[in-house]
Amino acid sequence: LLEEHPEYREIFGDFTYFENTTGAYTSTLNAIPFILSGEWYENEGSFQDYLDRVYREAPLWKELKSRNYQIDLYEDDIRAQDASIVDNFDNVYFTKVTPVSYLELAKQELKLVGFRYAPYDLKRYCVIKEVYFNELRESHPEGSDSKAFTADNTAFKEDLAAQGVASITLAANYIQALKDSGAYDNTALIVMADHGYNGMGEKEEDFLRQAALLLIKGRNEQHDTMQISEAPISYEDLQEAYVRLLDGAQSDAVFDWKEGDTRERRFLEYAPGNEKHMVEYLQKGHAQDLTTMVPTGRVFDR
């Protein structure tokens, strides 16, 4: 990306790009709760109980609350089931969602049923997608003046342009909006991915996805150009990094690991959609090097 878009070095000029970063899990389902808590899930016990515990008790929430930070969530599916978790987020609350048109809702439901039960030649008229139902939601849920969140990127971008609040294309807009508002220098920023990507294949290594994107800027941090660090970072290091950023550390001081250090970093692999079979790997080299991803022989099944 940097070769194709050299302008990223300017956009993220005050950031450090930690190129040698190893994530924790293959896909989003397990990666997000780990990023929030630093707690491994090894297919022991209920995943739902683990998820609820993370959203209810993760040290990150307590740290942010103790410093009087506002905590917002921009996601249409928390996945956690414990109702008390809603209290963690200032912009999430229970409300009633109603359809724009009950007639249109009925039509979509008939197509959904028809996809299974209609004669084969009629199934072509029963194509259904989740987005069709999402578009029928009232933009303002019943009993609320707030606009319902949507994961539609187009709608998101339009809202950013219209409201003057912004977020690699959206992130650049977000950074510029922070600069325009005067809040940029006093803001610590993390731009990250929950996991890496090895393409769409059938070999096991295609699903490792071990190398995750991570860029960090501390408060009042300024560079002439984006810095690149080859320090061997693991997502296991994130919890301490969060606190150091809150304490005012610059990006070169949020991790103890430095360039030239060597370490083994843990990663749990599974085929997406088959989280019940996890294989443990150790990354013994650079995060992006598949040849140094070594299975330990440990497997976690449920």
Side-chain angles (χ1 to χ4, degrees):
L1 281 173
L2 288 173
E3 292 175 358
E4 296 174 3
H5 299 278
E7 68 273 15
Y8 290 170
R9 295 180 186 273
E10 180 179 351
I11 292 170
F12 298 104
D14 297 323
F15 288 73
T16 296
Y17 166 39
F18 293 92
E19 189 175 45
N20 186 8
T21 297
T22 299
Y25 290 94
T26 298
S27 70
T28 303
L29 183 66
N30 291 81
I32 292 297
F34 183 85
I35 288 169
L36 294 174
S37 69
E39 179 183 346
W40 291 98
Y41 176 69
E42 299 174 344
N43 277 331
E44 290 184 352
S46 164
F47 178 74
Q48 190 60 62
D49 289 345
Y50 159 76
L51 199 59
D52 287 347
R53 184 170 66 254
V54 166
Y55 275 100
R56 189 175 56 245
E57 303 173 4
L60 178 60
W61 309 136
K62 298 177 182 178
E63 189 66 38
L64 290 170
K65 288 178 179 177
S66 72
R67 298 172 185 247
N68 296 317
Y69 276 87
Q70 177 177 325
I71 306 174
D72 287 352
L73 177 74
Y74 297 93
E75 168 59 55
D76 61 349
D77 185 3
I78 301 179
R79 293 185 179 270
Q81 299 298 312
D82 189 328
S84 67
I85 290 165
V86 170
D87 295 334
N88 278 347
F89 306 104
D90 293 279
N91 66 335
V92 179
Y93 46 87
F94 290 105
T95 187
K96 183 178 180 181
V97 177
T98 55
V100 174
S101 165
Y102 283 98
L103 178 60
E104 290 300 318
L105 177 61
K107 290 180 180 179
Q108 297 302 327
E109 288 179 337
L110 283 173
K111 289 166 66 177
L112 179 63
V113 173
F115 189 79
R116 177 170 183 177
Y117 293 108
Y120 187 80
D121 285 345
L122 296 180
K123 290 186 187 294
R124 76 183 81 174
Y125 303 110
C126 298
V127 176
I128 190 69
K129 296 181 180 179
E130 181 183 357
V131 67
Y132 297 162
F133 284 98
N134 291 340
E135 289 174 348
L136 289 172
R137 294 190 306 180
E138 286 280 8
S139 59
H140 296 275
E142 187 174 296
S144 168
D145 294 330
S146 301
K147 189 173 182 179
F149 173 81
T150 173
D152 186 300
N153 283 335
T154 302
F156 180 54
K157 188 174 187 300
E158 289 173 351
D159 281 349
L160 294 179
Q163 298 174 18
V165 180
S167 164
I168 284 192
T169 298
L170 293 177
N173 291 343
Y174 186 75
I175 290 170
Q176 186 59 52
L178 285 172
K179 291 179 178 179
D180 294 342
S181 73
Y184 175 79
D185 288 338
N186 194 39
T187 302
L189 291 168
I190 302 176
V191 177
M192 66 190 304
D194 49 346
H195 56 79
Y197 185 70
N198 297 102
M200 295 288 289
E202 298 181 358
K203 299 178 181 178
E204 187 172 31
E205 58 264 29
D206 292 330
F207 302 112
L208 284 172
R209 302 180 177 184
Q210 79 287 349
L213 176 76
L214 180 64
L215 300 98
I216 296 177
K217 180 196 86 75
R219 292 205 303 270
N220 299 308
E221 183 166 356
Q222 295 182 343
H223 312 144
D224 292 332
T225 187
M226 184 184 74
Q227 307 297 295
I228 298 180
S229 171
E230 296 297 341
I233 304 305
S234 166
Y235 272 7
E236 287 187 294
D237 309 326
L238 287 174
Q239 300 304 307
E240 186 172 12
Y242 298 149
V243 176
R244 291 183 181 182
L245 280 171
L246 291 171
D247 286 339
Q250 306 286 272
S251 59
D252 62 355
V254 295
F255 300 115
D256 289 333
W257 298 94
K258 305 301 178 186
E259 290 195 28
D261 291 344
T262 58
R263 69 188 290 200
E264 294 180 348
R265 291 165 284 176
R266 189 186 196 211
F267 183 82
L268 295 185
E269 176 272 338
Y270 49 84
N274 186 25
E275 297 84 4
K276 295 182 179 180
H277 176 70
M278 296 181 180
V279 178
E280 183 184 62
Y281 282 78
L282 289 180
Q283 176 53 277
K284 299 191 175 204
H286 193 282
Q288 298 179 12
D289 189 347
L290 285 170
T291 67
T292 53
M293 289 289 289
V294 180
T296 66
R298 298 179 70 197
V299 175
F300 304 99
D301 290 328
R302 63 180 168 97

